[in-house]
């Protein structure tokens, strides 16, 4: 894009000098033109003949408007006439406008009459930009017109946007079909619109002082698009610079924190029930093999480990210090941690920003910055890293190893993670409390988990993103390799209000979060349970090799519910090839339903399940399999569970590994069957139809955005 | 509404005689006028001066159209001109149109030129009517214009509609705000629109042969609305009459079936594993106290009960016959059941319409009609009625008494109901399989449950409603007294396809189901689990006395998730009165969040929970309470569960009974706490935030439509 930078600089400098918070209309149009955004042609006429000439050059119809520094409300002054159709009319209108303006305000200086090309027809759209406290500059696109305004049908992207992203935005509004031309209207020039979107993204990225852009309306015809009105708001107060170490620095510190060779426990206590005692016990009983240094002002030893009055008294290097002391003492001890060059501090104590003690928190952060210490928390339960048997927390220990890492901003959600994991024997690689996020936040964690081979899936509970832009950047990279699930709390306006009172954080507009998270390839969970189920399921399911999903069911009713769920989750029920249909028919009763779902009917013996499951696993046109098991006496739940796990084992041994999920309906025995399946790494859910499909749908959403299918 | 009935009759009779499937345009306009629906004025001109005169009377601008029986595509013939602005122009256009038409087809008879008032401006809307195979006549309302057409923003109601319903429809489209006038447009005349909606509903109800109405567009200005185009489709083939006994007859039969004094088991068998043996055992072991008559061709006795060769050999009366014989034998035995005057037959066997044996099913229905027998099934598991210890099923017995009645069209879903109920100890009054619904369907069940004092909540899994209109009528009545939950399977197009292949039933358009179910006061469940949770929860929760919901939480993070869920479920977080806020502050730490949610913070002892819960229960400005418990050592899960149930017990003893639901986050001990709460009739869910709020939301939806709040 060729930008007329000197014009832009002049316009913005002039506005800054004049103390403006918005560009004047003419300047806004000039700025648009400088970025290659077409605006209606115009010219200033100072007499009737000139008006006729300019209008003739622009082409009729034109709009004519009084130009006077003394007349603000031009319409009230009779100073605006639209639909001027001829040279003759232009002359008449010139005289009429000047006379009206003079009558309206005899004192007004009249500079002439603006003659502007009258644009209309085509499709009405809106392109704009906003500055979000978390995400920074965002470009917006929406369909114009009153109905869509009512329906707030707008989509956002981080600025700047690529040409592909700009084109993608055109399809990301509900009524996007209108751009293709409907009801006899010609299609809109999509490339012209994409260029305008890109230009706006470039404009706000080049010039941070442009805080808001509103091109509304833009008329998009079959050949080009014109921005009729441009409003450009300015904010010359620079945003405070965000603290952001380099990715290498983040990674170096996070590695030592998450996989430490040695841990100091500040405030280690011999007294049962104290946090400093629980942390010691969890470290020791959890089986952590690195050095553990209890720090206690007087004790010789704590829980059998030699104690030190200060970290400065420790001989060897220390990777992380876990704080279990009252909040007011934190800054002073943090100084010692800094002197000892410990790269990470886990601040368990509460009593900081969340209780109004912002100054104390700021003080701790300042000390940390000075010494290059990364802070986790404060106001957290600590963290777990199972692959090192590390329970750096006062909560109950947890050691079931797996490949999903979870984090939570809230301690309550953290406890739900631990409880759900334990009861479902869900393997995890890490569970991390982020609390007030005075320093370490989700993008630091993502940077670590990205390269952590023990972690294949990340699931995060988020109330606010302090730096949404960094998160989006890191997430966009990570999600190409590993699924990232986010439960964004404070979604709704009421919820957002609660988020403010809880963390003092300004919760973002949910539509912005939604669009940016999707743009970053993040899978959004809609409930706490969904986040937990996605965390459990995504690490178990292999990546599908294609879109073809088959439902195989013993209960026609389950087939219907599972089909509904497929549609809700954007899954494609494969069209059944004739030969495959015939192959299934070999095994099922003549009245079983052919096509997809394959309904083997309810009275069938285990062999029918086995044969059809084997067929579905071995036919490589089927990419994923959804099973709808129905409890019968002929094929009891455990018989089904065992044959299914055998068949999957058999297929895996032949190198076939496709996603399989199962809905189990029946009496209570289906619970044991589901547990059997889960213990064999097969997702089976009792009394549920929609949940297994939702988990499969999440895997597909991830695989698609990662470009794997 | 004064309808010009003789005109309408004439128009329809003429169309019938002419074998038309659509009314001619002029007739359609006349029919609209006969129902008081304004259409643009018009007149037929046979010369230029007449055209000018008519146009002058109608008011300019006008549209002029060639009138010729030989020209179907008027535009192609140059026979349509819009925007005629003056008498002079009207004369010119007349000549021009006639000439064009003549050139187009020199043979055409030309009757003159139609001059029609040109209507425009105002808000564009659509009113129509359709004939649905299940629901019959439905009225539709939508906003017009291309965008809304793209978004299919339309709402349906059963015809005819009341004035209130018609007004309600105006608010039931997403962009309804536009009717109030936006962007300087005047508001639309809502009463005029409501009158048109009502008139269309009346029209199709008065004349079943009107199969479809499409008034599109209608322009609604500030004073009135005009239907510019009217398309009216006709179908003179009468719909086959539906079999529909009177409510009294239904009730009399259903009472004997559901609460029988005696049961005959057709095909009772001494052989374990046979269905006829399982049914006998379930009846006996379930503790049924009525007479049990096994029917067996030769046996003396089955399971210790005297057997009979035929029901005709039984001396006393029999209320219901449970069939456990192969499908082909059913019609013959049904004859004997008829002769014995048994009012109900439960047809467990499969092998009817679902396997393609429609003729056999029709034969059974014909026998039943002849003898006035009501049929349940075929192709079902049977049914349970716990308050009579009645397990008329081959499935496992179930006897946990409660006040929710469930039904399922699918056996698989029925088994999920039984499994879920057993594992959660959910009390039920009845579980009924409906299967092929050859006769008894959901409205028969509703008619029974309506007056059954053992049933307070009804939950139904439905794939199709054979007679949606009857269901809506009965449901509208029942939902005023008892919540009715429906899981409508086959919601989506893929799902609907599966429904067809499963039951041969034509699944309805989901938008129609959605609107009609809402209109009938039905609570729609979106998943199998949601149906089951609603069934469990609605019978436990008392009816709220008002909209004020308070969230009380120990975890700020839970508060945020719960607030989100409140918004998603249409619940109102009460604005906290100052005195109440102060009262809560007495008990919570100074840094706890005031307002709503009340965040008591995580480190509090049981007394803080107890005091704040008591305050919330006793203050009658709070109508419902959502608790967000967070597991801590200071207030462990069971301590919380016990104090909560004590406080609720205490409040109940003082006559205070408000809905309370609880989200429990923590380690696995919260599961035991949740079970404790459930066993004390308090809805508590482990590792969930959104589910308890969804159940409370369902109770509110019911209470609102029933007019209770």
């Amino acid at each position: 894009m060729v930008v007329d930078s000197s014009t832009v600089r002049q316009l913005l400098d002039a506005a800054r000098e004049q103390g403006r918070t918005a560009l004047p209309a003419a300047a806004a149009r000039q700025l648009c033109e400088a970025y290659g955004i077409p605006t209606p042609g115009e010219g200033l006429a100072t007499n009737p003949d000139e008006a006729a000439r300019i209008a003739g050059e622009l082409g009729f119809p034109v709009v004519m408007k009084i130009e006077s520094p003394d007349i603000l409300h031009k319409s009230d002054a009779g100073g605006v006439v639209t639909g001027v159709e001829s040279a003759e009319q232009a002359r008449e209108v010139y005289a009429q406008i000047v006379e009206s303006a003079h009558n309206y305000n005899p004192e007004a200086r009249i500079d002439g009459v603006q003659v502007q090309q009258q644009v209309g027809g085509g499709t009405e759209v809106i392109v704009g930009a906003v500055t979000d406290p978390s995400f920074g500059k965002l470009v917006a696109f929406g369909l114009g017109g009153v109905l869509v305004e009512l329906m707030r049908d707008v989509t956002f992207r981080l600025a700047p946007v690529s040409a592909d992203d700009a084109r993608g935005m055109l399809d990301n509004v509900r009524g996007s079909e209108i751009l293709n031309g409907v009801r006899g209207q010609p299609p809109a020039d999509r490339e012209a619109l994409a260029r305008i979107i890109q230009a706006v993204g470039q404009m706000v990225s080049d010039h941070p002082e442009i805080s808001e852009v509103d091109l509304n309306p833009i008329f998009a015809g079959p050949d080009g698009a014109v921005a009729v009105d441009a409003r450009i708001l300015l904010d010359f107060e620079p945003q405070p610079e965000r603290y952001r170490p380099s990715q290498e620095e983040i990674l170096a510190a996070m590695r030592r924190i998450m996989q430490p060779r040695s841990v100091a426990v500040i405030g280690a206590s011999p007294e049962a029930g104290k946090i400093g005692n629980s942390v010691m016990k969890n470290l020791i009983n959890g089986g952590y093999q690195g050095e553990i240094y209890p720090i206690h002002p007087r004790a010789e030893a704590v829980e059998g480990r030699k104690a030190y009055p200060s970290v400065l008294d420790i001989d060897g290097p220390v990777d992380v210090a876990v704080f279990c002391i009252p909040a007011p003492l934190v800054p002073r001890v943090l100084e010692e941690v800094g002197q000892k060059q410990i790269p990470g501090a886990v601040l368990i104590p509460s009593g900081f920003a969340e209780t109004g003690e912002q100054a104390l928190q700021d003080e701790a952060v300042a000390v940390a910055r000075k010494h290059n210490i990364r802070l986790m928390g404060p106001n957290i339960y600590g963290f777990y890293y199972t692959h090192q048997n590390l329970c750096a927390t006062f909560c109950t220990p947890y050691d079931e190893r797996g490949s999903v890492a979870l984090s939570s901003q809230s301690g309550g959600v953290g406890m739900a993670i631990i409880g759900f994991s334990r009861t479902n024997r869900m393997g995890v690689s890490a569970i991390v409390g982020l609390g007030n996020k005075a320093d370490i936040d989700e993008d630091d964690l993502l940077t670590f988990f990205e390269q952590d081979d023990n972690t294949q899936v990340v699931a995060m509970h988020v109330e606010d993103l302090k730096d949404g832009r960094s998160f989006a950047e890191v997430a966009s990279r990570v999600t190409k390799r590993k699924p990232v699930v986010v439960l964004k709390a404070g979604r709704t306006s009421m919820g957002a209000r609660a988020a403010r009172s809880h963390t003092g954080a300004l919760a973002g507009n949910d539509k912005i979060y939604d669009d940016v998270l999707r743009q970053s390839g993040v899978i959004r969970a809609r409930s706490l349970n969904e986040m937990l189920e996605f965390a459990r399921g995504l690490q178990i399911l292999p990546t599908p090799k294609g879109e073809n999903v088959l439902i195989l069911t013993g209960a026609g009713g389950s087939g219907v519910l599972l089909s509904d769920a497929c549609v809700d989750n954007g899954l494609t029920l494969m069209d059944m090839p004739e030969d495959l249909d015939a192959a299934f028919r070999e095994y099922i009763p003549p009245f079983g339903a052919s096509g997809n779902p394959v309904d083997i009917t309810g009275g069938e013996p285990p062999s029918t399940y086995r044969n059809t499951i084997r067929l579905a696993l071995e036919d490589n046109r089927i990419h994923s399999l959804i099973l709808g098991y129905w409890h019968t006496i002929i094929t009891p739940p455990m018989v089904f569970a065992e044959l299914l796990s055998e068949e999957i084992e058999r297929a895996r041994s032949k190198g076939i590994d496709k996603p399989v999920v199962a809905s189990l309906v029946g009496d209570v025995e289906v619970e044991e069957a589901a547990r059997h399946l889960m213990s064999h790494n097969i997702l089976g859910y009792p009394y549920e139809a929609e949940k297994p499909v939702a988990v499969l749908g999440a895997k597909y959403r991830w695989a698609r955005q990662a470009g794997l299918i």
Side-chain angles (χ1 to χ4, degrees), chain A:
Chain A
M1 182 184 308
V2 182
V3 178
D4 176 359
S5 303
S6 65
T7 300
V8 175
R9 196 63 272 158
Q10 270 178 342
L11 291 167
L12 292 174
D13 287 348
R16 185 205 301 264
E17 272 164 35
Q18 294 158 17
R20 288 185 188 271
T21 56
L23 280 183
R29 268 197 306 277
Q30 274 181 278
L31 201 146
C32 286
E33 292 282 350
Y35 270 89
I37 299 168
T39 62
E42 61 172 16
L44 182 67
T46 52
N47 60 58
D49 285 341
E50 204 175 1
R53 181 181 57 73
I54 293 170
E57 285 165 16
L58 293 172
F60 294 98
V62 294
V63 183
M64 295 173 64
K65 297 176 190 168
I66 191 72
E67 184 76 15
S68 163
D70 303 318
I71 297 178
L72 285 178
H73 301 291
K74 298 177 186 187
S75 293
D76 293 356
V80 179
V81 173
T82 63
V84 177
E85 293 280 0
S86 65
E88 185 188 350
Q89 201 187 345
R91 280 187 201 93
E92 284 167 20
V93 167
Y94 186 97
Q96 170 198 329
I97 281 181
V98 170
E99 189 185 337
S100 296
H102 183 74
N103 291 343
Y104 180 74
N105 178 1
E107 308 295 309
R109 187 183 92 197
I110 290 170
D111 294 335
V113 172
Q114 276 287 354
V115 182
Q116 193 183 62
Q117 194 181 359
Q118 183 166 328
V119 182
T123 306
E124 196 177 334
V125 306
I126 298 170
V127 174
V130 295
T131 306
D132 180 85
S134 175
F135 291 107
K137 304 297 181 189
L138 293 152
V139 185
F141 169 76
L143 296 179
V146 58
L147 280 173
V148 180
E149 262 178 55
L150 285 179
M151 294 179 187
R152 297 175 213 293
D153 193 11
V154 179
T155 187
F156 294 90
R157 290 292 181 288
L158 291 176
V161 294
S162 69
D164 271 356
D165 271 345
R167 290 185 200 107
M169 288 176 79
L170 301 179
D171 294 321
N172 254 262
V173 289
R174 280 204 306 265
S176 62
E177 214 185 309
I178 199 176
L179 297 176
N180 303 330
V182 286
R183 264 199 181 180
Q185 280 247 4
D189 184 339
R190 296 170 64 91
E191 284 303 308
L193 285 177
R195 279 195 302 273
I196 294 178
I197 291 170
Q198 258 202 294
V200 169
Q202 192 63 50
M203 185 192 292
V204 292
S205 301
D206 290 347
H207 304 284
E209 62 266 48
I210 300 180
S211 60
E212 213 171 302
V213 176
D214 198 28
L215 308 185
N216 178 16
I218 293 171
F219 285 105
D223 300 300
V226 180
V228 175
D229 270 322
R231 202 170 63 109
I232 294 180
L233 301 188
L234 305 169
D235 181 358
F236 291 102
E237 299 283 315
Q239 298 292 313
E241 194 72 8
R242 278 212 174 84
Y243 174 69
R244 195 83 214 125
S246 72
Q247 289 288 302
E248 292 68 33
E249 290 169 321
I250 293 172
L251 195 52
M254 290 304 296
R255 273 190 174 141
R256 290 183 63 188
I257 295 169
M258 297 296 295
Q259 301 172 314
R261 284 157 303 171
S262 52
V263 179
V265 180
I266 316 280
S269 166
E271 195 180 329
K274 291 272 186 194
I275 284 179
N277 183 257
S278 300
V279 171
M280 280 301 295
K281 279 184 182 149
N282 285 339
L283 284 171
I284 294 166
N285 299 340
Y288 174 64
Q289 296 299 308
E291 288 298 330
I292 303 173
Y293 302 112
I295 308 299
H296 188 282
R298 292 168 308 276
E300 283 288 309
V302 176
E303 295 294 325
R305 305 288 173 121
K306 174 173 163 40
Y308 301 80
S310 158
V311 289
L312 295 172
D313 300 312
I314 300 169
D315 276 340
V318 178
D319 283 338
V320 67
V322 182
F323 279 63
C324 311
I325 54 176
L329 307 179
V330 166
R332 192 186 53 73
V333 180
L334 210 48
E335 276 287 354
E336 297 176 7
V337 166
Q339 287 165 36
K340 178 70 184 166
Q341 293 186 301
I342 300 174
V346 176
L347 303 186
I348 290 178
S350 53
F352 291 91
E354 86 287 359
T355 61
E357 303 293 339
Q358 183 69 49
L360 183 64
Q361 184 166 316
D362 292 344
E363 192 188 343
V365 171
V367 174
R369 293 277 189 275
K370 188 172 71 181
H371 293 291
N372 227 10
I373 311 167
R374 299 304 307 268
L375 302 180
M376 190 180 282
N379 184 29
I380 57 173
Y381 48 89
F383 78 101
Y384 301 78
Y385 188 75
T386 59
H387 295 273
Q388 288 215 341
N389 297 321
L390 181 66
C391 301
T393 162
F394 64 92
C395 293
T396 40
Y398 191 69
D399 60 5
E400 187 85 17
R401 290 184 185 182
S403 61
V404 61
L406 299 106
S407 73
S408 76
Q409 196 164 344
S410 138
V413 172
M415 288 298 289
I417 291 171
I418 291 161
F420 178 92
S421 300
R422 199 185 306 279
T423 200
N424 290 297
R425 298 190 62 76
M426 171 166 89
V428 305
S429 59
I431 303 174
V432 183
L434 287 178
N436 293 9
K437 298 200 288 193
D439 175 23
I440 289 177
D441 64 3
E442 288 82 0
D443 42 301
D444 296 303
L445 287 184
L446 275 185
T447 300
F448 171 75
F449 292 134
E450 178 180 23
Q451 55 77 57
D452 177 27
D453 289 337
N454 293 320
T455 298
Q456 296 308 321
V457 176
V458 183
M460 297 177 147
H461 159 263
V462 171
E463 288 184 354
D464 64 331
L465 291 171
K466 308 262 182 221
D467 184 353
R469 180 161 284 259
S470 296
F471 178 85
E473 281 170 13
V474 181
S476 298
R477 205 174 61 223
V478 178
T479 53
K480 292 286 172 288
R481 294 178 52 205
K482 302 176 180 183
V484 176
V485 177
V486 166
L487 171 63
K488 171 67 179 75
R491 282 186 292 121
T492 55
S493 48
M494 273 195 208
R497 197 171 57 190
R500 272 200 294 281
S501 71
H502 175 43
T503 62
L506 196 82
N509 172 309
D510 190 64
K511 177 65 179 147
I512 292 178
Y513 267 97
D514 204 57
D515 285 339
V516 175
L517 291 179
R518 190 179 303 110
Q519 183 186 2
S520 310
V522 167
I523 299 160
R524 199 161 172 190
R526 292 285 158 182
S527 68
L528 175 56
N529 179 262
E530 197 169 86
M531 179 185 83
L532 296 169
E533 293 290 5
F534 285 0
R536 169 159 72 150
L538 288 176
Q539 65 176 324
I540 289 178
L541 287 180
T543 302
K545 295 196 171 56
E547 293 284 355
N548 279 344
V549 176
L550 183 85
I551 298 174
L552 184 64
T553 181
S558 292
V560 179
L561 293 173
L562 294 169
S563 299
D564 280 352
C566 281
V567 174
D568 289 345
N569 287 283
L571 296 177
T572 308
L573 287 187
M574 80 181 287
D575 281 327
M576 194 68 118
E578 261 182 50
D579 64 306
L580 190 54
D581 204 39
F584 277 112
R585 289 197 151 283
E586 289 285 312
Y587 298 120
I588 67 177
F591 51 87
S594 74
N596 187 1
V598 176
D599 183 357
I600 70 169
T601 77
E604 292 299 295
S607 60
T608 308
Y609 272 108
R610 189 183 291 277
N611 290 329
T612 50
I613 288 169
R614 186 176 296 183
L615 180 55
L617 289 173
E618 294 190 349
D619 191 291
N620 60 17
R621 289 167 294 185
I622 299 169
H623 303 124
S624 296
L625 184 57
I626 299 172
L627 289 162
Y629 166 76
W630 180 19
H631 184 167
T632 61
I633 296 173
I634 301 152
T635 306
M638 274 307 284
V639 171
F640 166 78
E642 280 163 8
L643 77 84
L644 175 58
S645 38
E646 283 160 24
E647 285 305 315
I648 288 180
E649 209 43 68
R650 185 176 176 280
R652 282 178 189 157
S653 73
K654 296 169 79 174
I656 300 166
D657 198 12
K658 54 181 80 171
V660 178
V661 299
S663 151
L664 284 74
V665 297
D667 211 329
V668 289
E669 293 97 306
V670 296
E671 295 180 33
E672 189 196 352
R675 278 192 299 271
H676 177 90
L677 290 175
M678 287 288 188
S679 72
H680 285 73
N681 273 341
I682 303 160
L683 291 179
Y685 295 85
Y687 322 126
E688 298 269 6
E690 295 77 8
K691 195 176 275 186
V693 183
V695 177
L696 181 62
K699 192 83 190 192
Y700 267 95
R701 274 147 71 195
W702 171 71
R704 284 190 204 114
Q705 65 76 37
L708 299 174
I709 47 171

